[in-house]
Amino acid sequence: MNVCVLGAGTMGHGIAQVSAMGGHDVVLRDINQNIVDEGLEHIRENLQGGVDRDKVTESERDAALDRIEGTTDLAAAVADADLLVEAVPEDEELKQKVLAEAEGHAPADCVVASNTSSISVTGIASALSDPSRAVGLHFFNPVHIMGLVEVVVAEQTSDATREFAEVFVESVGKTAVVVEDSPGFATSRLGVALGVEAMRMVQEGVASPRDIDAAMELGYNHPMGPIELGDVVGLDVRLGILEHLREELGERFRPPTILRKKVRAGKLGKKSGEGFYVWEDGEIVGVSGEVEDE
């Protein structure tokens, strides 16, 4: 099928990559050509990394790259799309605006999906002229490695749209879990609950970030500990999700002071070079020396 991904950042270029590896033709669109180019370069690097680790053949790499093109032209990007996936920042009004504008250029039978991790898909879909074709496709970071996609069924989602979404997820080699639209869905709600408690433990001096992460990795077989995962996702993103869940579900999701302070200081995690850990070239090189008291 023809897949259009709106947003060439971390999640967007990852979704574009796995879609192309699944045999689909992909257009990756962003508002800035430099962002598009960076997204395409990340895809090339990820695929080459797969070749280097014998996970991807050279022919698979080349075929996937041949299926992807980048553009800043919204109308052209969505003109022939069977599936449109937005991967813009977690802001409901922005997502509504982007998808409503894209819908105006897309074919009438194009399925419109949001990669939101916590915002109501029902609310996002309300901005569309045909909300029955809206669905949530919540991929996980890093997209090319993680095997799960949440298919989020909005109040307006038709059965045909849900079935289409499940078939697409299977086509890109992922496993779909279908959830009803509710605050935080299933995975974000559970994952954030673990992450926020881990941050409180650091704040209270219960254990160091490294020891908390090691406990979950070795004791519960998590591939990545909750503190490191927060840094990878982005502490600003974590804060935004917690604020939303606090508003919807109550004080148990109140963001800890240590998280607010780090975000105010610009310590957003991996993308800024420091969060709970210190990062260089995408790798942890130390623990942040600043531990704030509540």
Side-chain angles (χ1 to χ4, degrees), residues 104-183:
H105 299 288
D109 59 350
C110 175
V111 169
V112 179
S114 173
N115 181 57
T116 182
S117 60
S118 62
I119 297 172
S120 169
V121 178
T122 298
I124 294 171
S126 68
L128 301 177
S129 61
D130 180 9
S132 71
R133 57 173 167 169
V135 68
L137 285 177
H138 177 207
F139 286 81
F140 292 79
N141 185 33
V143 178
H144 64 290
I145 293 175
M146 303 299 286
L148 179 68
V149 178
E150 269 188 312
V151 175
V152 183
V153 180
E155 291 184 20
Q156 310 96 318
T157 304
S158 69
D159 289 342
T161 297
R162 175 187 53 78
E163 291 167 5
F164 178 99
E166 291 183 76
V167 170
F168 169 74
V169 170
E170 182 180 355
S171 76
V172 298
K174 308 296 183 184
T175 298
V177 294
V178 179
V179 300
E180 295 298 317
D181 188 22
S182 62

Side-chain angles (χ1 to χ4, degrees), residues 21-288:
M21 293 180 71
H24 306 301
D25 292 325
V26 181
V27 180
L28 180 62
R29 188 262 179 182
D30 211 302
I31 58 174
N32 184 292
Q33 187 62 48
N34 288 335
I35 298 174
V36 174
D37 292 341
E38 288 174 4
L40 294 173
E41 180 58 29
H42 282 302
I43 292 172
R44 283 189 286 268
E45 291 173 354
N46 285 341
L47 288 169
Q48 184 57 49
V51 172
D52 295 342
R53 294 188 299 274
D54 294 325
K55 301 291 186 180
V56 178
T57 67
E58 292 185 357
S59 61
E60 288 171 335
R61 174 200 62 196
D62 295 343
L65 291 173
D66 286 344
R67 295 188 190 105
I68 305 173
E69 61 178 286
T71 185
T72 58
D73 187 331
L74 178 62
V78 304
D80 298 317
D82 299 301
L83 172 65
L84 170 64
V85 185
E86 69 80 10
V88 302
E90 287 287 278
D91 179 285
E92 183 172 0
E93 290 185 3
L94 175 61
K95 290 179 182 292
Q96 289 176 326
K97 179 181 178 182
V98 168
L99 288 180
E101 184 179 0
E103 183 191 31
H105 299 288
D109 59 350
C110 175
V111 169
V112 179
S114 173
N115 181 57
T116 182
S117 60
S118 62
I119 297 172
S120 169
V121 178
T122 298
I124 294 171
S126 68
L128 301 177
S129 61
D130 180 9
S132 71
R133 57 173 167 169
V135 68
L137 285 177
H138 177 207
F139 286 81
F140 292 79
N141 185 33
V143 178
H144 64 290
I145 293 175
M146 303 299 286
L148 179 68
V149 178
E150 269 188 312
V151 175
V152 183
V153 180
E155 291 184 20
Q156 310 96 318
T157 304
S158 69
D159 289 342
T161 297
R162 175 187 53 78
E163 291 167 5
F164 178 99
E166 291 183 76
V167 170
F168 169 74
V169 170
E170 182 180 355
S171 76
V172 298
K174 308 296 183 184
T175 298
V177 294
V178 179
V179 300
E180 295 298 317
D181 188 22
S182 62
F185 315 138
T187 55
S188 290
R189 187 166 166 178
L190 289 168
V192 168
L194 177 60
V196 72
E197 192 59 30
M199 292 177 199
R200 290 191 184 114
M201 290 169 66
V202 174
Q203 180 174 283
E204 295 165 8
V206 173
S208 70
R210 287 194 185 277
D211 286 342
I212 291 169
D213 282 345
M216 298 310 297
E217 290 166 9
L218 301 177
Y220 287 83
N221 204 29
H222 288 197
M224 182 183 297
I227 299 293
E228 181 181 353
L229 180 60
D231 267 14
V232 170
V233 169
L235 299 185
D236 53 337
V237 175
R238 280 291 204 218
L239 178 59
I241 293 172
L242 282 168
E243 292 282 25
H244 173 68
L245 292 179
R246 181 189 188 187
E247 180 179 342
E248 295 287 337
L249 299 173
E251 288 300 304
R252 67 185 184 275
F253 288 101
R254 177 176 59 87
T257 301
I258 191 171
L259 175 61
R260 292 189 185 278
K261 287 185 175 181
K262 284 190 177 293
V263 171
R264 281 200 298 268
K267 297 177 180 179
L268 308 181
K270 183 177 180 179
K271 62 187 174 185
S272 70
E274 184 176 354
F276 283 91
Y277 292 104
V278 179
W279 299 78
E280 288 183 8
D281 298 324
E283 302 292 335
I284 294 173
V285 296
V287 177
S288 176

